[in-house]
Amino acid sequence: MSSTPSVSEIVGELARDLLNPGSSSRRSGRSSLSLSEILEASGDEDRGPVDMFERASRPLLPRRVPGYSKDMVHVGVDTSTRLLATPYADILVSALSVSGPGPVELCDYPSLYGEPMSCGPSPPPFIYVVPHGAVELPEQEGVASVMASPSDLSQSFISKLADYARLSLERWAMEVPVEQIARAFAEAGRRPVVMLDGPIFISQGKGVGNLMVQRYEAVKQLESAGVPVIGVVKRVERSFILSSSPSYSRLLEGCGLSAPGETDSMILQRLTSLGCVDEVPGRVYVTPKIIVKGGDGIEKIVEYVIMMPSAWQKLGVRSKVFRLEYTEETLNMLEEFNVDPLQAFLGDSLARESLEPVSVSMSDRRAKALTSSLRALLAKEVVGLGGRLGYESEVELRGLAGEGEE
């Protein structure tokens, strides 16, 4: 019989420790995280040097949608975080989901059914506790304490803690369960492609932070095992990659557009509205490939994808914009099979009658469902022991309960 506690046992014990600090003996588990580790996690967009990777004469290029390939298997990876505020501590819960063809879940961490650590050995914590005041919590499996002074606590700090949690989960996923899953598909004669939510690294102009280096190294580890990895970035509002490239800026000028210092999202919107491309239903447009360098030999290739809704889709459906990120090694691996990263991406989206990659979307929904359940379970335990919730958390949970009852 396994000695690993279930998620409900972990959550219940954490609730008791919060309301009765110091009453439990210390157990083998995770050590506290330092403040510097958390603050190093940044969600800022890329600011590294960029240049064109391929020659092009236009800023947007039309592409055909490939047919669905049964040999290629898309393995989606995504995470979620949610905050539960209490008078005793701010508690961030996180979760990871890996999805495959079907789509079906291949790995959930933590698992709400059976052992929470069933995806592989040595996973990172999935609960982060920021105590209010001098509260010492016993060490516990799956839980990490983050010690911070009241002056450090802010919405920005919680946001960075969420970034840290997601980066830690996704790095571990690539190192352990995803590599095992990809190997199993390859042994069955399939061609796995990992679709990772978010960038493969972010450069802040002064280099790449330690967490991002670890993420990049996890990508390279999968590639060394023969598994290509494509980062899918869904939020591009704060990105300045296109305007940072002098060569791409010249392509814009050829289309009658001057956009110094504009975000990538604004540039792409202006390109379509100015008539530089014909908005044909169901058509796909991409930017030429651009290389972004992060220093110390770390670099990536990026391209933006604009997917127009098909004629059969209902009115009001807007076009979707994604940024694809990958290394030259992934590009070369895919080209050996006469496929490029864009075709692999479209094979998981438009070829499956979706305006977003199905594997990543499935993982996104499952991870959000996991964190929603975790937060609700923890809130129930705290309230059941006579504790209180923070005002915003209580209002939000009551609203969600009301929606579920309707």
Side-chain angles (χ1 to χ4, degrees), residues 28-84:
S28 175
R30 306 286 178 181
S31 59
S32 298
L33 290 174
S34 67
L35 188 62
S36 61
E37 288 180 282
I38 301 302
L39 295 179
E40 194 253 2
S42 174
D44 292 338
E45 287 289 346
D46 282 293
R47 292 284 183 172
V50 302
D51 201 357
M52 297 287 289
F53 181 79
E54 61 181 356
R55 298 179 63 181
S57 59
R58 289 178 291 174
L60 282 179
L61 309 170
R63 288 289 185 263
R64 289 186 176 182
V65 180
Y68 180 72
S69 173
K70 293 184 178 180
D71 291 334
M72 184 172 291
V73 175
H74 298 87
V75 179
V77 181
D78 205 351
T79 53
S80 172
T81 58
R82 294 183 192 270
L83 176 69
L84 180 69

Side-chain angles (χ1 to χ4, degrees), residues 254-267:
C255 198
L257 177 62
S258 177
E262 289 192 3
T263 66
D264 295 345
S265 179
M266 293 174 62
I267 289 173

Side-chain angles (χ1 to χ4, degrees), residues 30 38 52 57 65 96 210 258 268 307 335 337 359 366 373 384 404:
R30 306 286 178 181
I38 301 302
M52 297 287 289
S57 59
V65 180
L96 158 80
N210 185 54
S258 177
L268 295 173
M307 299 194 294
E335 287 182 341
F337 299 109
S359 62
R366 285 196 61 80
S373 297

Side-chain angles (χ1 to χ4, degrees), residues 164-177:
Y164 179 93
R166 287 191 292 266
L167 288 170
S168 298
L169 282 176
E170 289 167 358
R171 173 193 54 77
W172 173 78
M174 287 188 283
E175 291 176 345
V176 183

Side-chain angles (χ1 to χ4, degrees), residues 166-358:
R166 287 191 292 266
L167 288 170
S168 298
L169 282 176
E170 289 167 358
R171 173 193 54 77
W172 173 78
M174 287 188 283
E175 291 176 345
V176 183
V178 170
E179 183 174 357
Q180 296 172 354
I181 290 167
R183 186 185 303 117
F185 278 123
E187 291 173 353
R190 309 290 292 277
R191 297 173 183 168
V193 178
V194 174
M195 309 294 288
L196 174 66
D197 178 69
I200 59 174
F201 74 80
I202 292 177
S203 172
Q204 280 81 43
K206 297 180 180 179
V208 180
N210 185 54
L211 283 170
M212 283 295 172
V213 170
Q214 293 175 7
R215 183 182 181 87
Y216 186 79
E217 290 174 346
V219 170
K220 301 301 289 184
Q221 177 178 315
L222 280 172
E223 291 177 334
S224 66
V227 182
V229 181
I230 300 174
V232 181
V233 182
K234 296 175 285 189
R235 299 177 181 87
V236 301
E237 294 81 5
R238 294 184 298 164
S239 179
F240 293 86
I241 293 176
L242 298 179
S243 61
S244 299
S245 169
S247 299
Y248 191 80
S249 296
R250 287 192 289 271
L251 293 180
L252 294 175
E253 292 171 0
C255 198
L257 177 62
S258 177
E262 289 192 3
T263 66
D264 295 345
S265 179
M266 293 174 62
I267 289 173
L268 295 173
Q269 288 177 9
R270 291 180 64 186
L271 278 174
T272 54
S273 63
L274 287 176
C276 291
V277 296
D278 297 325
E279 293 193 38
V280 179
R283 180 166 289 183
V284 176
Y285 297 91
V286 299
T287 61
K289 294 180 177 65
I290 294 175
I291 189 166
V292 179
K293 299 181 180 181
D296 298 324
I298 294 179
E299 57 186 32
K300 62 184 177 183
I301 301 170
V302 306
E303 58 182 317
Y304 280 92
V305 184
I306 303 177
M307 299 194 294
M308 304 294 182
S310 299
W312 51 264
Q313 290 183 302
K314 63 182 181 181
L315 295 176
V317 176
R318 301 179 60 185
S319 59
K320 292 277 189 174
V321 178
F322 296 93
R323 185 172 76 235
L324 306 186
E325 301 193 1
Y326 45 87
T327 69
E328 194 168 354
E329 179 67 22
T330 280
L331 177 62
N332 293 336
M333 277 194 287
L334 290 172
E335 287 182 341
E336 289 181 5
F337 299 109
N338 297 317
V339 177
D340 67 14
L342 173 66
Q343 290 174 312
F345 170 79
L346 296 177
D348 194 32
S349 52
L350 286 185
R352 302 178 71 176
E353 300 182 352
S354 172
L355 284 178
E356 57 186 9
V358 173

Side-chain angles (χ1 to χ4, degrees), residues 106-147:
L106 299 174
C107 163
D108 286 342
Y109 171 73
S111 173
L112 299 183
Y113 310 99
E115 292 191 10
M117 319 299 180
S118 58
C119 279
S122 304
F126 62 92
I127 299 177
Y128 294 83
V129 183
V130 186
H132 295 169
V135 178
E136 183 178 359
L137 298 175
E139 295 179 354
Q140 188 178 355
E141 188 73 31
V143 179
S145 294
V146 182
M147 308 311 296

